[in-house]
Amino acid sequence: MALAITEDCVRCWACLPLCPNEAISAGAAGFDIDPQRCTECVGDFAAPQCGEICPAEGALVDAWGHALNPPGSLGGAPVAAAAPAPGPRPGC
Amino acid sequence: MPASLSSPSASAASAGCGASRCGGTASQIDALDSPLRQKVQDHPCYSAEAHRHFARMHVAVAPACNIQCNYCNRKYDCSNESRPGVVSEVLSPEQAVHKVLAVAAAIPQMSVLGIAGPGDALANAERSFAVFDALARRAPDLRLCLSTNGLMLPAYVERIVAARIDHVTITINCLDPDIGARIYPWIFWNHRRIHGREAARILVAQQQLGLEMLVARGVLVKVNSVMIPGINDAHLPEVSRVVRAKGAFLHNVMPLISDPAHGTAFGLAGQRGPDAAELAALQDACEGGASMMRHCQQCRADAVGMLGEDRGAEFTLEKIAHLQIDEAAAMQRRVALRAQINAGPGGTGAAEASAAVLPFARAATPPARGVRMAVASRDGRHVDQHFGHAERFHILEVDGEGVRWLGERAAARYCGGEAECGEQDNLLARTVATLADCEVVLCARIGMAPWQALESAGIRPDGEHAMEPVAAAAQAVWHALRDAGRLTAAPFEDQKRA
């Protein structure tokens, strides 16, 4: 029973300090979860901490490959409509 | 700490200071605690004067974030709190300390070290405080500041005070959770991800509590807001009023950056940012609240150098890795340079430099209307420049409550010597046009031709206050106009139109 990090990871480091088992490491190729250490936070927290803070949909999967945060689950709320004719904007 | 935040004689309602070099009467300046002057006079982000002389750097040691903003794509760094683009290098705390010491040895103007991301300084608290604590020992002359979304702020206020961090910036985009729900899709709170309105409610509450706690402990607080047209633009004047009442020292309203190429939720949804006129109008609407900061450059989270420049490429890890730094000698150079700058050309030290920031107390009913003035000042503190020599004018808004610095305006320099004589009339007309919305021009001296040109344009030239401090001179002129009964009529703009 262990979670894994996919290539959708944005390498933001948010998960790393939260892991109660220090199972997450930042390698040259990306972030990794040590399957020997990962407990999916059972006994420590109600939900896996990496999955709770991860901002990237699909970046964390369980042993069956199911995304903890599937596409659409982390999206923003509906936002205001676009301006009728947005010109070039300062700062963009 | 600011007088308005800590002194029992100053009410919370009068809190708020301008990032200006000009303003306030002598008594107002005297009323400022000298620690506040010291805190802002060499901080390029807080003092419009300091940003010309002093440098700052941000170190990217804080990659993690504990909230999601719709204007941010975590893949690329926060496009609004730090400019678009990936932070070149996420540093370990040890690397960051080494980089700061290297930069501060190479650039003696370095006065401020900030941690502004690329995530949230307090979502990476151990990493951030490791840097602050090491620098407090090894470069104690540097001012430390951090930027946060505020979620974890109440939990770290004591640690911030202990680390002697004297400036904190909180990004506050709303007070209303319903508005917040349109800006923040989720937060990470108490080991859970929380979505929607409840997320925004918690975040807003933590931000406001953190602001209050910091002010109570004498930490200088600036509030940043991202202006999002149609979402929080109409709400931000209220935010400005509230954060000022609670003691925020500056309010910095920044335009939303929402290029779809950045991949933010707002960018992809076509949410537009404000244009320059909309931003200026909102900043004007917020003027009654915390003093507005108008020289913000929206720096990257790894910016190095003077405001508006980025010398980060000179100080990559590779380039500084084996650098030997004489830390003590470097600090001596910085301290000496700072003393020299603060003394200024003809300046008289801290009291004069303190004109950089002023409390801006507001009476319930203004006794007479405000007057916009332009000042020719070379040193930024005295009316010390000939009208014809001024390359730029300081624009002030003066009323019975104080003096606010609105910004600078470049002049067409019309007295440039013989070679340019043929251009003189044209240049003079252009300069006068630049100052068309000002009622008074203060200068040390002025020739007949420009005097007449200003008068014809309905602008009053004034050479009576040569070499006097700018704020005192401006206030004297305002009082004279009021006593002459000239400030009870319609505003200047209406008079001109009539």
Side-chain angles (χ1 to χ4, degrees):
Chain A
M1 187 174 77
L3 303 174
I5 295 176
T6 73
E7 61 187 15
D8 291 329
C9 171
V10 295
R11 309 181 68 172
C12 78
W13 292 69
C15 58
L16 193 143
L18 297 181
C19 178
N21 304 306
E22 297 185 9
I24 305 174
S25 59
F31 281 70
D32 269 322
I33 295 178
D34 180 347
Q36 303 301 314
R37 287 173 169 255
C38 176
T39 60
E40 299 188 8
C41 291
V42 171
D44 288 304
F45 298 106
Q49 294 300 282
C50 53
E52 291 296 282
I53 202 167
C54 180
E57 293 164 351
L60 282 154
V61 292
D62 63 18
W64 294 274
H66 296 143
L68 274 64
N69 300 299
S73 65
L74 302 182
V79 295
R89 309 237 73 86
C92 291
Chain B
M1 63 202 70
S4 49
L5 309 186
S6 62
S7 157
S9 64
S11 71
S14 72
C17 307
S20 70
R21 72 176 49 71
C22 305
T25 61
S27 62
Q28 278 178 310
I29 295 168
D30 292 343
L32 262 183
D33 276 354
S34 71
L36 169 61
R37 296 175 199 154
Q38 287 167 9
K39 280 185 179 181
V40 297
Q41 73 185 14
D42 51 5
H43 194 307
C45 302
Y46 285 10
S47 158
E49 175 68 9
H51 90 263
R52 299 154 182 257
H53 300 302
F54 295 106
R56 54 75 183 99
M57 72 182 286
H58 297 159
V59 282
V61 291
C65 197
N66 48 15
I67 69 173
Q68 178 69 55
C69 304
N70 281 331
Y71 50 72
C72 177
N73 177 356
R74 297 305 315 289
K75 193 167 181 176
Y76 296 115
D77 201 2
C78 177
S79 53
N80 283 274
E81 280 296 30
S82 56
R83 286 250 312 267
V86 186
V87 169
S88 312
E89 300 165 299
V90 170
L91 305 181
S92 72
E94 297 72 25
Q95 289 170 325
V97 170
H98 184 63
K99 181 172 178 182
V100 172
L101 292 170
V103 170
I107 306 178
Q109 293 95 332
M110 252 286 288
S111 63
V112 174
L113 179 276
I115 296 181
D120 182 81
L122 298 179
N124 301 263
E126 293 314 314
R127 296 166 62 88
S128 297
F129 284 107
V131 174
F132 289 134
D133 292 344
L135 289 174
R137 288 195 311 275
R138 296 171 65 179
D141 63 305
L142 296 182
R143 304 195 180 294
L144 306 176
C145 54
L146 66 82
S147 179
T148 177
N149 60 44
L151 181 63
M152 295 308 291
L153 192 48
Y156 287 108
V157 164
E158 288 311 312
R159 189 118 181 236
I160 286 168
V161 172
R164 297 173 66 184
I165 293 165
D166 50 19
H167 308 80
V168 171
T169 297
I170 315 173
T171 300
I172 298 179
N173 293 320
C174 63
L175 305 167
D176 179 345
D178 288 320
I179 293 174
R182 301 172 68 189
I183 303 172
Y184 309 105
W186 57 263
I187 67 170
F188 178 78
W189 177 247
N190 281 343
H191 305 288
R192 296 300 303 267
R193 194 193 309 268
I194 300 185
H195 297 262
R197 189 182 188 282
E198 175 66 0
R201 186 192 65 75
I202 293 167
L203 178 62
V204 167
Q206 292 294 301
Q207 290 170 337
Q208 294 299 311
L209 178 60
L211 166 62
E212 292 162 18
M213 291 171 72
L214 285 174
V215 168
R217 297 303 309 267
V219 179
L220 221 48
V221 182
K222 171 169 126 254
V223 170
N224 277 356
S225 299
V226 179
M227 177 186 183
I228 309 161
I231 293 188
N232 72 347
D233 49 343
H235 181 53
L236 284 179
E238 170 73 358
V239 171
S240 200
R241 190 186 64 74
V242 168
V243 301
R244 167 188 174 243
K246 291 185 176 178
F249 144 86
L250 263 186
H251 187 202
N252 178 24
V253 176
M254 305 178 299
L256 172 71
I257 298 171
S258 62
D259 188 331
H262 299 157
T264 66
F266 278 150
L268 295 174
Q271 168 67 46
R272 70 182 184 93
D275 62 30
E278 289 172 319
L279 178 66
L282 177 58
Q283 288 175 332
D284 286 342
C286 293
E287 285 279 355
S291 296
M292 298 300 295
M293 172 166 152
R294 290 175 187 256
H295 64 278
C296 177
Q297 309 279 334
Q298 294 181 276
C299 301
R300 289 166 53 101
D302 58 356
V304 173
M306 310 290 276
L307 221 57
E309 71 172 11
D310 190 350
R311 298 175 59 181
E314 298 170 39
F315 300 98
T316 58
L317 282 183
E318 196 182 10
K319 290 182 180 163
I320 64 171
H322 303 293
L323 211 58
Q324 295 296 318
I325 303 161
D326 184 340
E327 295 175 21
M331 183 163 80
Q332 269 181 359
R333 278 198 300 279
R334 295 194 297 270
V335 171
L337 178 71
R338 229 165 279 155
Q340 191 188 333
I341 292 169
N342 284 335
T348 56
E352 290 291 344
S354 72
V357 172
L358 295 159
F360 190 61
R362 290 203 159 249
T365 315
R369 68 181 174 82
V371 175
R372 187 162 295 183
M373 301 185 191
V375 184
S377 171
R378 188 188 307 273
D379 70 358
R381 300 198 287 269
H382 300 90
V383 184
D384 63 358
Q385 207 166 26
H386 190 296
F387 179 84
H389 296 164
E391 293 178 346
R392 61 181 68 85
F393 290 89
H394 303 285
I395 309 299
L396 309 180
E397 185 78 17
V398 187
D399 61 23
E401 304 152 17
V403 179
R404 262 180 311 156
W405 186 74
L406 300 182
E408 286 182 353
R409 249 174 242 170
R413 204 173 155 208
Y414 82 91
C415 192
E418 293 298 317
E420 295 175 26
C421 274
E423 280 284 290
Q424 283 204 3
D425 288 350
N426 185 23
L427 286 167
L428 175 58
R430 273 160 48 204
T431 297
V432 171
T434 304
L435 304 176
D437 60 331
C438 297
E439 208 164 338
V440 175
V441 171
L442 283 162
C443 53
R445 303 189 66 165
I446 181 169
M448 271 312 285
W451 180 287
Q452 286 166 349
L454 287 169
E455 275 201 333
S456 311
I459 303 169
R460 181 187 301 258
D462 187 313
E464 299 291 309
H465 297 272
M467 304 319 292
E468 291 179 19
V470 167
Q475 289 252 287
V477 170
W478 185 86
H479 282 286
L481 288 171
R482 186 196 58 180
D483 294 347
R486 305 189 67 96
L487 303 184
T488 51
F492 183 56
E493 280 302 315
D494 296 346
Q495 288 178 33
K496 282 187 116 177
R497 274 194 289 273

